[in-house]
Amino acid sequence: MVHALAYYDKLTGLASRAYFQERMEHNIKNARRKNESFAFLYLDLDGFKDVNDSYGHNIGDLYLKAVAERIRSVVREVDFAARLGGDEFCILVDNITGEQ
């Protein structure tokens, strides 16, 4: 229970900022050790403040949950998706090649 509170965002169910930071450090060390690459994708929702201001925080929360579901639907099982806070999300994609 404590692990879930510390490492997962309560609203979206994605990994939290704290979990992301640990995972990022792990990815950097692992990539250096294995001479591999990974990608960091950062998503910031433009105009999200307007959604909250115009339609209320309940609708804003539904919007964030929908974004999280969309992210989950497109990432591979080995990738890592997190909500950094507010309207900021990121995805870590392990072991990529130049072609990807």
Side-chain angles (χ1 to χ4, degrees):
M1 180 71 172
V2 174
H3 181 270
L5 292 174
Y7 286 116
Y8 291 94
D9 178 63
K10 182 179 173 183
L11 179 66
T12 64
L14 292 177
S16 68
R17 176 182 289 273
Y19 194 5
F20 163 76
Q21 289 174 327
E22 284 184 19
R23 186 69 177 259
M24 178 64 106
E25 289 173 18
H26 170 78
N27 278 31
I28 291 169
K29 290 175 186 175
N30 197 41
R32 284 183 180 153
R33 185 174 60 250
K34 295 182 178 181
N35 198 28
E36 295 176 344
S37 297
F38 70 94
F40 168 74
L41 309 172
Y42 175 79
L43 295 86
D44 184 9
L45 306 177
D46 288 340
F48 179 71
K49 182 182 180 318
D50 294 336
V51 172
N52 274 339
D53 291 347
S54 299
Y55 303 104
H57 289 275
N58 289 338
I59 298 300
D61 287 352
L62 291 174
Y63 183 66
L64 293 171
K65 289 178 186 179
V67 169
E69 280 303 313
R70 178 76 52 100
I71 290 170
R72 267 193 284 281
S73 74
V74 298
V75 297
R76 302 173 305 176
E77 193 173 302
V78 297
D79 297 332
F80 181 84
R83 178 177 177 214
L84 300 181
D87 63 349
E88 298 174 320
F89 297 85
C90 71
I91 301 168
L92 296 176
V93 183
D94 281 339
N95 195 17
I96 63 167
T97 64
E99 296 81 35
Q100 292 173 310

